[in-house]
Amino acid sequence: MVLKSFAKINLSLTINKKIEKKRLHDIQSQFCLINLFDKISIKKNKKNVDKIFFNGPHSKYVKKSNNSIQKILKIMRKFKLISDYYSIKVYKKIPVFAGLGGGSSNAASLLKFFCIKKIEDKIFNKIIDQVGSDLRLFFYEQGFLQSLKKIVKFKKKYKLFFLVVYPNIKCSTHHAFSER
């Protein structure tokens, strides 16, 4: 099975107050998924261990351990959403440290693939707390992130065109928000 894991861009971004309890900033953003994607190949693994491989033009900076794919597989097993182990290959076309949400998109793609039935909101929110707050964005093509927990879907699907230029500058979202 091969999945497409799409990047997202923020059309607008407002950084609100810091939520001290979660050590995150509450943000608002108009966002949309774009036609830039990683390819994820999935096969069941007979051994009780996941094998995760990254290749492609933007695989250099992906953490080999404790990455979003390992996290989501571990969390899905914790909540008994999956029980098997997998060999997963990710061809990274989404630049890393570019604010395009590649890692979160990869995790969301796996979650959507394995969890065909709707996940209870309580469990979904626990997964987001452990993987990352932008995970929920990848369940919508376009929308308005009103707060970290609420997305308003656009009533109309807009046809937008973008030219995405990547200047080969690493910028960690975590680092950028910690400077504020």
Side-chain angles (χ1 to χ4, degrees), residues 50-176:
D50 292 313
K51 298 211 180 248
I52 301 167
F53 306 94
F54 295 93
N55 61 7
H58 297 286
S59 60
K60 179 179 177 181
Y61 296 110
V62 177
K63 287 193 240 173
K64 303 304 177 216
S65 61
N66 199 29
N67 55 58
S68 61
I69 291 181
Q70 289 173 323
K71 285 180 188 177
I72 198 70
L73 292 172
K74 183 178 177 182
I75 292 165
M76 284 191 290
R77 283 192 197 92
K78 177 181 167 183
F79 290 110
K80 299 188 180 352
L81 299 172
I82 62 170
S83 57
D84 294 321
Y85 291 83
Y86 298 91
S87 177
I88 297 176
K89 294 179 183 175
V90 182
Y91 186 79
K92 291 294 295 174
K93 291 196 308 188
I94 301 173
V96 180
F97 298 115
L100 299 171
S104 297
S105 175
N106 294 165
S109 295
L110 290 173
L111 186 60
K112 285 190 273 188
F113 173 75
F114 287 118
C115 300
I116 297 165
K117 295 178 184 173
K118 187 173 180 343
I119 302 170
E120 293 178 34
D121 286 343
K122 184 178 176 182
I123 292 174
F124 186 64
N125 287 327
K126 285 181 181 180
I127 291 170
I128 286 172
D129 286 344
Q130 293 177 36
V131 176
S133 60
D134 64 344
L135 184 79
R136 82 173 68 245
L137 300 177
F138 295 95
F139 288 80
Y140 300 84
E141 283 186 46
Q142 300 174 343
F144 175 66
L145 178 68
Q146 195 169 20
S147 68
L148 286 179
K149 292 199 174 202
K150 184 170 183 188
I151 294 177
V152 178
K153 190 175 178 180
F154 291 155
K155 291 179 182 171
K156 177 183 175 187
K157 184 177 177 184
Y158 295 94
K159 189 169 186 170
L160 305 169
F161 298 91
F162 301 98
L163 171 63
V164 179
V165 178
Y166 179 62
N168 287 319
I169 298 171
K170 278 178 49 178
C171 181
S172 162
T173 304
H174 175 74
H175 178 72

